Amino acid sequence: MAYILGISAYYHDSAACLLKNGEVIAAAQEERFSRIKNDESFPAEAIKFCLKFASISLAEVDHVVFYEKPFLKFERLLETYVNFAPRGLRSFLKSMPVWLKDKLFIKKNIARALNTIDPNWKKSRTILFADHHRSHAASAFYPSPFEQAVVLTVDGVGEWATTTVSVGHSAQLTLKKEINFPNSIGLLYSAFTYYLGFKVNSDEYKVMGLASYGTPVYKQLIYDHLIDVKTDGSFLLNMDYFDYCTGLKMTNKKFDKLFGHPVRAKGEALLTFHKDIASSIQKVTEEIMIKLTQSLYREFAIDNLCIAGGVALNCIINSAIRQHSGFKRIWVQPAAGDAGGALGAAYSVFYEHLSGVRNVDPQADGMKQSLLGPSYTRHEVIRALSAYGLNYEEVEHELYYLKIAEYLAEGKVIAYFKGRTEFGPRALGCRSILADPRNSEMKAILNAKIKFRESFRPFAPAILEEFADLYFGEGSKNRYMLFTENYSNNSQQASNAVLIPGAVHVDGTARVQIVNQVHHPDFHKVITAFYNLTGCPAVINTSLNVMNEPMASSPEDAICCFLNTEIDILAIEGLLIDKKSRALMI
């Protein structure tokens, strides 16, 4: 029996995962414990959870692996500063002390941190290191339902690589080609995230949502000045417009001059210009990814494609790839960002270092619906409710789901908490806020009164698998909210379909989660009860948190979100708390 602990940390979205004989049994992001969004610190609490779940000590773990190679990243930083000198001196002087004091000695820091968790874990034990993009590629291919696939990873930057192409066959994963820093689709998209006044490495999804409100009028300007795209989809950036190699900003004054506006200040109104900028970079990125994947399909003649890296979380791009690339089947790692790197690093050790045997199930991936985090007993939930003075109603079995359906049909917003916490950025029905998608005003209500976020942000539907084709057409079979589907051309023409305007974006698309009775039985019961009551086989599903906070994980997290927003009902492990009629114990 082999236990492998994978770790990602020190950049953003740190995480830990535990494999047992090649099977992922636990995985969690540190932010879910620290309550710091995208927490980059060493994932001590995430590691402790993984060990507790497996009922083992750290000393019983056979291999520990980190998701990237710090010395190669340091090499890239040094070479970049030398190549761009004397530009970037200020950035150089600011970053070098951090590297020389801390980041360059990650191995020693990891060993010290692990020894703190378990003094029986010897500091002298070997710690393995996997290449950053190799970790992404492994996370995409090894849990996929494919025996053979092209594997594409696209993000900001790892050590040197920003884009890699590999081919996976059985347990082998072979790197074929790569694009290196500073040429990066991820950093190009992040540059526009910065220019639009959003937070880099955090708010790129806001650019994606905003894009649907604009027109890509600056698309040609981007092609003419910022990026040279080759016929095979490879590319070169014009670094005259960017500062991320040498400065403390993503873009510079020349970039501002090109588009005729300065960087949008935080809190500044979103103008038509900003919407058009978002639309333009979204369209450019989409076209590049289509050209790249079309080239890969022609070159390798393999029908399956796996994708990971931060860009893989752009569901609009994923859908464009599915429609235009030529690949017949596409699987995207649900924790595609750096958190998933911990998982990929562990997989790399099992299959490449230990020569593990890979067994593929074409009907199911290995991510277990991404429900890999902590769960809590009803006793623990009741103890938390009592600590907050909350009364509750205990409802058993089918009546529980019926009451939830009735609340939803009445227009109430429900915080739904059940089972294990999701691993990755999407709520998939265990730490969710649920609402009635038939109400066209529900988007505005949720954004303003519950999530406290920008009004342009859309909400996604979770729909029973058996109704997916009716509402979103054939092929809408993703369980992880990683593709958008066109709603307007399907269900609005279907006489037996209940309209769901509250879960559809302004462009007529929806980021759909298909809910299967076998893979997600509890959430399937929730939606089935709502369907039996209303004829609507879908609910709005968004993460149980407010803007700039991590998704809820513990009962305390859920209770705080419930009490500090206008959520009406907390449904938590078979218990119901109605804020108006049953709020406080007397």
Side-chain angles (χ1 to χ4, degrees):
M1 184 178 298
Y3 285 103
I4 303 169
L5 177 67
I7 298 171
S8 64
Y10 304 127
Y11 185 49
H12 63 88
D13 211 16
S14 68
C17 98
L18 189 66
L19 296 189
K20 178 182 179 181
N21 295 332
E23 177 188 2
V24 57
I25 59 172
Q29 291 135 277
E30 188 68 8
E31 67 164 22
R32 306 292 162 83
F33 304 93
S34 69
R35 310 310 299 160
I36 301 171
K37 189 174 182 180
N38 303 128
D39 193 349
E40 65 178 29
S41 63
F42 184 79
E45 296 306 315
I47 292 171
K48 291 175 186 177
F49 152 69
C50 290
L51 297 173
K52 181 180 178 181
F53 184 87
S55 299
I56 62 171
S57 68
L58 183 58
E60 294 174 84
V61 171
D62 298 280
H63 300 280
V64 175
V65 56
F66 190 69
Y67 82 127
E68 63 181 11
K69 296 181 177 179
F71 277 99
L72 286 180
K73 179 170 280 192
F74 185 65
E75 174 189 83
R76 187 249 299 169
L77 291 174
L78 285 179
E79 286 196 24
T80 300
Y81 286 129
V82 170
N83 291 337
F84 283 87
R87 289 170 58 193
L89 179 61
R90 181 182 169 203
S91 175
F92 178 81
L93 293 175
K94 184 174 182 178
S95 65
M96 281 305 103
V98 177
W99 271 91
L100 295 175
K101 180 183 177 182
D102 193 24
K103 290 189 175 183
L104 197 56
F105 303 101
I106 284 178
K107 185 174 183 179
K108 183 185 295 184
N109 293 339
I110 292 173
R112 186 185 303 117
L114 293 175
N115 185 252
T116 300
I117 292 173
D118 183 355
N120 292 319
W121 193 90
K122 304 301 182 184
K123 295 180 183 179
S124 59
R125 284 184 60 178
T126 300
I127 297 172
L128 302 173
F129 291 83
D131 176 88
H132 182 104
H133 271 260
R134 186 72 173 186
S135 296
H136 277 318
S139 78
F141 177 63
Y142 288 125
S144 79
F146 306 141
E147 178 72 20
Q148 184 179 30
V150 175
V151 184
L152 175 64
T153 70
V154 189
D155 66 3
V157 61
E159 293 85 3
W160 277 103
T162 67
T163 303
T164 68
V165 177
S166 305
V167 170
H169 182 77
S170 188
Q172 293 185 324
L173 187 59
T174 305
L175 177 66
K176 296 294 185 180
K177 59 178 75 176
E178 63 184 23
I179 298 172
N180 287 330
F181 183 87
N183 300 297
S184 169
I185 286 293
L187 289 176
L188 174 67
Y189 203 92
S190 290
F192 279 86
T193 302
Y194 167 83
Y195 183 64
L196 288 168
F198 300 128
K199 187 178 179 180
V200 172
N201 290 328
S202 176
D203 292 347
E204 281 75 9
Y205 60 91
K206 295 183 181 181
V207 179
M208 180 178 68
L210 185 63
S212 298
Y213 289 86
T215 305
V217 294
Y218 300 100
K219 186 181 81 169
Q220 196 57 48
L221 200 63
I222 294 172
Y223 280 127
D224 289 344
H225 294 273
L226 300 185
I227 189 165
D228 177 20
V229 184
K230 309 301 182 182
T231 56
D232 65 352
S234 60
F235 49 86
L236 294 171
L237 294 186
N238 183 351
M239 296 310 300
D240 291 344
Y241 292 88
F242 302 96
D243 256 11
Y244 60 76
C245 284
T246 60
L248 303 175
K249 308 189 305 311
M250 293 298 294
T251 61
N252 57 30
K253 295 296 182 183
K254 190 171 182 178
F255 191 102
D256 297 352
K257 186 177 180 181
L258 178 65
F259 293 105
H261 287 260
V263 174
R264 172 178 167 264
K266 185 177 181 181
E268 182 184 338
L270 285 164
L271 308 175
T272 299
F273 166 75
H274 299 117
K275 298 171 185 176
D276 291 344
I277 283 287
S279 178
S280 300
I281 188 56
Q282 177 66 34
K283 193 64 177 177
V284 167
T285 308
E286 179 183 316
E287 290 177 352
I288 294 171
M289 292 293 286
I290 289 172
K291 185 174 287 190
L292 176 60
T293 51
Q294 285 176 337
S295 173
L296 295 178
Y297 183 68
R298 289 193 300 267
E299 179 177 356
F300 295 104
I302 296 172
D303 284 340
N304 304 320
L305 175 67
C306 299
I307 317 176
V311 176
L313 292 172
N314 191 309
C315 52
I316 297 173
I317 290 173
N318 293 340
S319 296
I321 291 171
R322 185 177 62 185
Q323 183 176 357
H324 300 292
S325 67
F327 287 99
K328 304 299 187 294
R329 293 171 292 276
I330 299 174
W331 191 82
V332 182
Q333 165 57 242
D338 276 13
L343 176 64
Y347 273 127
S348 292
V349 170
F350 182 75
Y351 288 110
E352 298 162 27
H353 185 69
L354 301 179
S355 301
V357 176
R358 182 167 178 255
N359 298 310
V360 179
D361 181 355
Q363 304 304 316
D365 59 64
M367 286 299 293
K368 302 180 179 179
Q369 195 62 38
S370 220
L371 305 180
L372 299 168
S375 63
Y376 298 85
T377 65
R378 181 173 290 190
H379 175 73
E380 289 173 312
V381 169
I382 291 174
R383 187 170 59 195
L385 293 171
S386 299
Y388 282 85
L390 287 172
N391 202 356
Y392 57 87
E393 179 183 4
E394 190 168 348
V395 187
E396 296 296 340
H397 307 302
E398 300 308 314
L399 182 59
Y400 182 64
Y401 301 105
L402 175 60
K403 296 204 74 164
I404 289 173
E406 289 173 344
Y407 283 133
L408 289 171
E410 292 169 6
K412 293 183 177 179
V413 177
I414 297 179
Y416 190 76
F417 183 111
K418 175 71 175 180
R420 298 184 69 177
T421 308
E422 296 89 342
F423 179 57
R426 310 286 192 230
L428 299 168
C430 285
R431 301 294 185 274
S432 293
I433 294 173
L434 308 179
D436 187 347
R438 300 173 301 166
N439 183 353
S440 61
E441 302 299 316
M442 191 56 72
K443 283 187 286 188
I445 293 170
L446 290 172
N447 275 326
K449 297 183 178 182
I450 310 294
K451 302 287 282 188
F452 307 126
R453 68 185 197 181
E454 299 89 351
S455 61
F456 63 82
R457 303 272 297 279
F459 291 96
I463 187 168
L464 299 175
E465 183 177 39
E466 50 268 39
F467 290 91
D469 288 353
L470 172 65
Y471 278 76
F472 298 103
E474 295 183 7
S476 53
K477 299 295 183 185
N478 189 265
R479 302 201 302 269
Y480 297 111
M481 287 188 179
L482 289 167
F483 295 84
T484 56
E485 309 293 346
N486 194 316
Y487 165 79
S488 58
N489 291 334
N490 295 289
S491 62
Q492 291 189 34
Q493 282 78 43
S495 59
N496 58 335
V498 176
L499 298 184
I500 54 170
V504 179
H505 200 22
V506 67
D507 60 0
T509 66
R511 190 184 69 203
V512 182
Q513 176 194 0
I514 305 305
V515 182
N516 178 288
Q517 186 174 11
V518 173
H519 296 111
H520 208 338
D522 180 79
F523 199 33
H524 192 274
K525 288 180 180 179
V526 173
I527 305 174
T528 298
F530 186 66
Y531 168 71
N532 291 337
L533 187 66
T534 66
C536 179
V539 296
I540 290 175
N541 176 20
T542 187
S543 56
L544 182 51
N545 65 321
V546 299
M547 189 173 72
N548 297 326
E549 287 187 2
M551 190 191 307
S553 179
S554 70
E556 291 80 5
D557 301 336
I559 292 167
C560 287
C561 189
F562 171 62
L563 293 177
N564 293 317
T565 66
E566 294 189 33
I567 293 174
D568 301 295
I569 305 293
L570 174 59
I572 180 166
E573 297 296 347
L575 308 176
L576 292 173
I577 300 91
D578 185 331
K579 186 175 287 180
K580 286 188 176 179
S581 64
R582 310 183 66 86
L584 298 176
M585 290 181 176
I586 299 174

